[in-house]
Amino acid sequence: MTTYVCPRCDVHSPASALTWCCPRCRGPWDLDFTSAPVPRESLASRSNSLWRYAEALPLATEYPHITLGEGRTPLVPLTDTVSAKLDFLMPTLSFKDRGAVMLAELARRLRPRSVLADSSGNAGTAVAAYCARAGLDCSVYVPEGTSPKKLEQIRAHGAHTVVVPGDREATARAARAAADEPGVFYASHVYNPHFLHGTKTYAYELWEDLGGRLPDTLVVPVGNGTLLLGVALAVEELYRHGLIDRRPALVAVQAEAVAPLAAAFHAGADELTGPPGPPSPVRPTLAEGIAIPAPPRAAQILRAVRASGGTFRTVTEDQIRAAQLDLARRGLYVEPTGVACWAAVRAAPERPGTTVVPLCGAGAKTGLAPTS
């Protein structure tokens, strides 16, 4: 197995341990893992899941792997220059399957007493499903106000739900306290870097489907930044191995109501700005999945966007509603969080070249956004 490393403290820990964060700074881990080049010409004969990119994935050297056939989602045009990747067409109806399968595969090998996750819904449903596939006991901490459909889905997979009073940040604090108990594997889509190595397959699929290249711009929703950081990992790997000759710009999107990273980026800060102490309660937003006031990987996210030559955009609640209806009338029923990128593209001047937006979660999970 690979080794965890703290990007701040340079503390190391074996991935076989159940140490979910750096013991010195309590920050998230990175993974000491070096990918090999993926041979595009041989991919057609491989399994039709994200495990086809074995050279780029930790945990890929041991077979068989847990799988529900995740990945390989369609890419469809929205305009002459903008396409959408339909990541809501995953087994649990969100892009979080990309990372959840990696966490469940690691947990399957470690055989902890129990698996614990925290989520506003989609990551929890994905972890619950893949733990069910692996035969692992699972508990998911969710904030009050989580979509009843998402709660129903988590419970249907056999996971125990713990509903935490308060917002997403209160839920994360409760889960981290429970994660310190002996024998618990914290399947955190934020703290465990295996999740990011799963989400990076989003970019590998684009590279494969576009004939060995990437679009000029990748627009990505950002709350905790797990998709954006995975994409940034993939871009650097593909470039380092000579599989692409240029890096696309990363455009990060947040809801205007909860946009700490956008504020820090436009202020020129390397970390989150704002007064010291715990974050203020978040304003309500339709994009609940990215309403994260204090993402633990904030510095990494800001650095990745700047290094790509990209930027941050924010979208209003009205723009989110309009984007959801617009996509539905194009035949694509997507949850409000999942339409944030399309809302941003529609509201801003068109960028030169080609652009891809992810549609991250199915509308059936939440229904249509209510009108104001």
Side-chain angles (χ1 to χ4, degrees):
M1 285 195 180
T2 48
T3 300
Y4 295 138
V5 58
C6 175
R8 289 186 176 182
C9 308
D10 200 36
V11 171
H12 289 65
S13 173
S16 57
L18 297 179
T19 308
W20 62 267
C21 68
C22 172
R24 185 178 298 171
C25 71
R26 302 285 285 182
W29 292 119
D30 282 348
L31 204 60
D32 184 9
F33 170 75
T34 302
S35 68
V38 174
R40 187 167 60 89
E41 63 280 358
S42 70
L43 291 175
S45 63
R46 296 190 179 187
S47 67
N48 199 36
S49 77
L50 60 77
W51 291 109
R52 70 200 276 113
Y53 309 110
E55 292 85 355
L57 294 175
L59 308 177
T61 57
E62 182 181 316
Y63 293 90
H65 304 115
I66 295 170
T67 185
L68 290 169
E70 58 289 326
R72 306 294 295 134
T73 54
L75 185 66
V76 300
L78 296 177
T79 71
D80 290 342
T81 59
V82 181
S83 296
K85 188 159 174 59
L86 310 190
D87 257 27
F88 67 91
L89 299 180
M90 288 277 194
T92 76
L93 306 182
S94 91
F95 88 95
K96 295 291 177 62
D97 289 14
R98 294 186 184 275
V101 67
M102 300 295 292
L103 296 182
E105 176 62 23
L106 178 59
R108 182 184 71 85
R109 299 183 191 188
L110 298 180
R111 286 294 166 186
R113 175 174 56 83
S114 64
V115 175
L116 182 150
D118 62 295
S119 169
S120 58
N122 284 337
T125 59
V127 170
Y130 283 92
C131 282
R133 187 73 168 176
L136 297 165
D137 179 73
C138 179
S139 294
V140 181
Y141 285 57
V142 296
E144 61 183 358
T146 296
S147 161
K149 286 294 183 183
K150 292 180 181 179
L151 287 174
E152 178 183 316
Q153 188 179 5
I154 292 168
R155 290 165 177 158
H157 292 309
H160 173 63
T161 55
V162 179
V163 179
V164 179
D167 59 15
R168 180 67 182 84
E169 196 62 25
T171 304
R173 288 194 297 269
R176 291 167 200 161
D180 286 327
E181 295 293 321
V184 174
F185 176 83
Y186 185 24
S188 172
H189 57 292
V190 182
Y191 280 80
N192 194 305
H194 287 87
F195 196 94
L196 307 181
H197 284 270
T199 60
K200 76 182 180 185
T201 59
Y202 173 90
Y204 272 93
E205 288 177 18
L206 289 175
W207 167 77
E208 180 184 358
D209 291 342
L210 294 174
R213 60 182 179 86
L214 289 175
D216 298 291
T217 303
L218 289 169
V219 185
V220 187
V222 174
N224 277 309
T226 55
L227 181 55
L228 184 139
L229 290 173
V231 166
L233 271 173
V235 168
E236 288 309 307
E237 290 174 357
L238 289 165
Y239 187 81
R240 185 175 70 248
H241 294 311
L243 298 173
I244 55 173
D245 57 11
R246 56 167 182 77
R247 300 175 177 91
L250 302 180
V251 174
V253 178
Q254 296 204 286
E256 186 179 89
V258 187
L261 289 161
F265 180 89
H266 292 299
D270 296 328
E271 294 271 6
L272 291 186
T273 56
S280 302
V282 299
R283 291 163 57 195
T285 175
L286 296 167
E288 60 181 9
I290 54 173
I292 309 297
R297 294 186 184 270
Q300 291 176 283
I301 296 165
L302 293 167
R303 188 163 56 248
V305 173
R306 286 200 177 97
S308 77
T311 190
F312 269 81
R313 293 178 183 167
T314 60
V315 290
T316 67
E317 303 303 293
D318 285 344
Q319 288 169 335
I320 292 170
R321 289 188 190 93
Q324 188 187 31
L325 286 173
D326 178 76
L327 286 171
R329 288 164 183 160
R330 297 167 183 258
L332 301 167
Y333 190 32
V334 185
E335 69 176 356
T337 299
V339 307
C341 291
W342 179 233
V345 168
R346 293 177 78 223
E350 189 170 311
R351 293 179 66 92
T354 56
T355 296
V356 170
V357 300
L359 304 183
C360 296
K365 286 173 172 273
T366 56
L368 282 172
T371 56
S372 56

